[in-house]
Amino acid sequence: MNIHNASRRQFLRHASALSATVGSVAAPLALNLAALGSASAQASSDYKAIVCIFLFGGNDSINMVLPTDGASWANYTAVRNQAPESIALLPPGTAVNTGAPAGSPARLGGVLPINPLNAQGRSFALHPAMAALQALFDTERRLAILPSTGPLVMPTSKAQYGQASHPKPASLFSHNDQQNTWQSFRPEGATQGWGGRMGDLFAAQNARPVFTAISTSGNSVWLAGETVKQYQVGTNGAIRMGSDGNGRIYGSAEVARALERIVGGSRGTHLFEADLATVSQRALDAELTLRSALKPASDPLFGTPPASGGYSANSDPKLQYDNPLTGTRSANNLAQQLQVVARMIDASSGASIGARRQVFFVSLGGFDTHDNQNRAHADLMARLAHGMQYFDAALGAMGARHAVTTFTASDFGRTFTSNGDGTDHGWGAHHFVMGGAVRGGDLYGSFPVLGAKNANNNNFDSSPNQLGNGSLLPENSVDQLGATLGRWFGLSDSQLLDVFPNLRNFDASRRNLGFMV
């Protein structure tokens, strides 16, 4: 791919838009073009991708990564072992009780010990259903843990949280607002996310900018940029508009071509009609490109070729996980989403796509565990661990582990306290970062102190890291997480400060969390 020609095409597209503007509007657009020229000058010959796995509903990460030292474990067990149903997991080495109810701590067995390189004088473990990630952290060291991470305007202590004058993210503890804040640093209504804004700076390096920001999970504000528009795919690949896999409608190629002419052409001057035609034509062109560029899902790199008959993702052993509720193998939609991401990454070097930088968004829902948490969370942890292990293996088969970094995100963490059989809305949460360029096998940030309840039965005076209901006060900010990924991606210091607006409020020594090589 000729990167300079691609950069020139992207520049001319912006320049033509600028030529239509007059007066004061042109000045900021001119500045944006100057920034585009600067970004284009940083052309890269390598390929890199960032993949966001968003856990919708607010993951109870306190049951995902656990401190198991004596004091922490005693407080953890006392707080979470509440009637009518304990959600406290069992200590390392506890045998599985096959007679216990599905998903219960007894049926799961003990938590799985891990050994961080810097254990901070403590011991740690993973949820019992996450055996797939234990070796990835301990032995292969391609998995890192970011303790108590969440949106912050600036570093915030427990005392400062109680001060009305101290800046804090808007609408804390609200699902929609915090999903948007994680993805865009603004509450619900935001139109641009930090994944898309990174894409803006690198789209000119891609032969087909349409393939810069890609979602397998519908519309995502994280992928929306100022100029980059996200492209949505399904778990089977490109989403076709009307025609079948052979390019026909009602068995006719001519009918399919007629539909394409109609939906891709504008017959009037109405702006909405013209914009819709542009989007439709973009979708038609992109689908045609992907149709020939993507290897089939059954290719040995991504799936299990069928011995006979057609391929089915739902019956592919690679895409099935051990379901802790049924004791059988079940299809994992997260793995299916990551399969199509792997297929697109594999095709990225081809002449028809020619990508240098891409950002991807996949998701897993069901984390709003106010009740029935034992069953729901065990299943979700098994899906997440299997999906990440599958993706790591697929990237390994492709020789692409060092080029792709995957991280988890969620609305928020959940409360340390139990409401009887579940947890409520919190703030900070532990998160994973995975990849061949990740300094794995360690914790990045101080792990929070899990306190004991006081006489009021919910105020954690003994912990500097927990609020009234045991919610975790973030140790790391989303800006710091994103900036560390952005630096690896190729952003300059000035670009990082532009993409991550709160980063300047953090000491320069803490803007890079250090988990990337």
Side-chain angles (χ1 to χ4, degrees):
M1 179 187 69
N2 188 321
I3 294 175
H4 297 294
N5 285 344
S7 300
R8 182 174 180 272
R9 288 194 296 271
Q10 185 80 340
F11 179 87
L12 290 175
R13 276 193 291 272
H14 286 271
S16 64
L18 176 64
S19 66
T21 64
V22 294
S24 60
V25 176
L29 285 177
L31 293 175
N32 287 337
L33 284 173
L36 174 64
S38 174
S40 298
Q42 302 174 36
S44 302
S45 60
D46 61 347
Y47 173 85
K48 290 181 179 179
I50 294 175
V51 182
C52 173
I53 301 177
F54 204 93
L55 311 177
F56 279 105
N59 176 34
D60 179 28
S61 68
I62 292 173
N63 265 18
M64 184 175 79
V65 181
L66 307 91
T68 56
D69 54 276
S72 298
W73 194 259
N75 289 339
Y76 166 82
T77 303
V79 170
R80 293 211 148 186
N81 186 12
Q82 302 293 323
E85 184 176 20
S86 172
I87 60 170
L89 299 173
L90 301 179
T94 304
V96 172
N97 179 356
T98 57
S104 66
R107 181 68 171 267
L108 295 170
V111 294
L112 306 174
I114 54 173
N115 300 288
L117 294 171
N118 176 19
Q120 305 176 10
R122 305 168 75 176
S123 56
F124 296 93
L126 298 177
H127 188 282
M130 306 196 90
L133 296 185
Q134 191 178 24
L136 199 61
F137 183 89
D138 269 347
T139 307
E140 299 173 38
R141 301 204 182 281
R142 289 192 296 276
L143 183 72
I145 294 171
L146 274 60
S148 194
T149 300
L152 284 171
V153 176
M154 62 193 309
T156 302
S157 69
K158 192 170 181 177
Q160 289 170 328
Y161 172 76
Q163 298 170 0
S165 60
H166 187 80
K168 294 178 281 291
S171 303
L172 285 170
F173 315 112
S174 159
H175 282 294
N176 291 348
D177 291 298
Q178 292 310 299
Q179 288 168 9
N180 277 265
T181 300
W182 245 98
Q183 297 180 46
S184 68
F185 307 114
R186 293 177 177 83
E188 188 173 20
T191 57
Q192 294 181 22
W194 54 273
R197 295 191 68 198
M198 287 196 295
D200 286 337
L201 296 170
F202 290 102
Q205 298 186 25
N206 295 337
R208 297 288 300 271
V210 66
F211 298 124
T212 300
I214 300 164
S215 173
T216 69
S217 185
N219 191 55
S220 160
V221 70
W222 184 71
L223 291 177
E226 183 177 2
T227 58
V228 163
K229 292 178 173 58
Q230 58 191 291
Y231 178 67
Q232 297 179 25
V233 297
T235 53
N236 291 323
I239 299 173
R240 294 188 175 95
M241 186 178 292
S243 61
D244 62 18
N246 297 314
R248 299 175 180 177
I249 296 177
Y250 299 129
S252 169
E254 182 55 38
V255 172
R257 286 192 293 269
L259 173 67
E260 291 172 2
R261 288 194 299 270
I262 293 170
V263 301
S266 177
R267 293 161 300 286
T269 59
H270 195 284
L271 292 179
F272 180 77
E273 180 184 343
D275 191 54
L276 181 60
T278 299
V279 172
S280 299
Q281 189 62 55
R282 172 177 175 263
L284 290 168
D285 293 343
E287 189 278 324
L288 182 62
T289 299
L290 285 183
R291 189 186 304 173
S292 58
L294 293 183
K295 291 177 182 175
S298 58
D299 187 280
L301 286 173
F302 322 110
T304 306
S308 62
Y311 173 82
S312 171
N314 287 333
S315 61
D316 185 342
K318 286 188 178 180
L319 303 182
Q320 294 178 342
Y321 74 110
D322 292 319
N323 189 321
L325 304 183
T326 64
T328 62
R329 301 277 290 172
S330 301
N332 186 357
N333 178 260
L334 177 62
Q336 291 181 31
Q337 292 178 64
L338 290 168
Q339 183 190 57
V340 75
V341 171
R343 291 168 64 200
M344 295 200 69
I345 290 171
D346 174 72
S348 64
S349 60
S352 59
I353 293 181
R356 290 287 180 262
R357 292 292 186 272
Q358 291 180 295
V359 286
F360 294 90
F361 184 89
V362 305
S363 72
L364 181 62
F367 286 88
D368 197 15
T369 53
H370 287 281
D371 51 24
N372 198 31
Q373 177 164 309
N374 282 333
R375 289 179 58 86
H377 201 244
D379 184 53
L380 291 167
M381 292 293 95
R383 289 174 184 264
L384 176 60
H386 166 260
M388 293 180 70
Q389 181 192 49
Y390 162 80
F391 191 49
D392 173 74
L395 293 174
M398 294 159 50
R401 279 178 175 142
H402 277 79
V404 183
T405 301
T406 303
F407 72 99
T408 62
S410 190
D411 317 17
F412 37 62
R414 304 192 77 82
T415 57
F416 186 33
T417 54
S418 167
N419 61 28
D421 67 343
T423 50
D424 298 318
H425 299 183
W427 189 356
H430 314 316
H431 286 284
F432 295 130
V433 184
M434 180 184 76
V438 172
R439 292 189 174 102
D442 213 350
L443 309 171
Y444 290 87
S446 298
F447 206 89
V449 173
L450 298 185
K453 292 189 291 186
N454 66 7
N456 294 327
N457 203 39
N458 68 350
N459 290 318
F460 293 87
D461 300 329
S462 59
S463 171
N465 313 118
Q466 292 180 283
L467 304 177
N469 58 2
S471 294
L472 300 180
L473 188 64
E475 160 76 10
N476 299 316
S477 74
V478 178
D479 293 75
Q480 291 168 295
L481 162 62
T484 306
L485 293 170
R487 183 175 295 280
W488 170 77
F489 213 45
L491 270 66
S492 67
D493 287 345
S494 60
Q495 289 169 338
L496 290 172
L497 291 172
D498 181 55
V499 173
F500 303 99
N502 301 312
L503 192 62
R504 65 186 71 251
N505 298 330
F506 292 81
D507 186 88
S509 65
R510 287 284 295 156
R511 292 174 185 173
N512 184 346
L513 294 178
F515 57 79
M516 300 299 298
V517 297

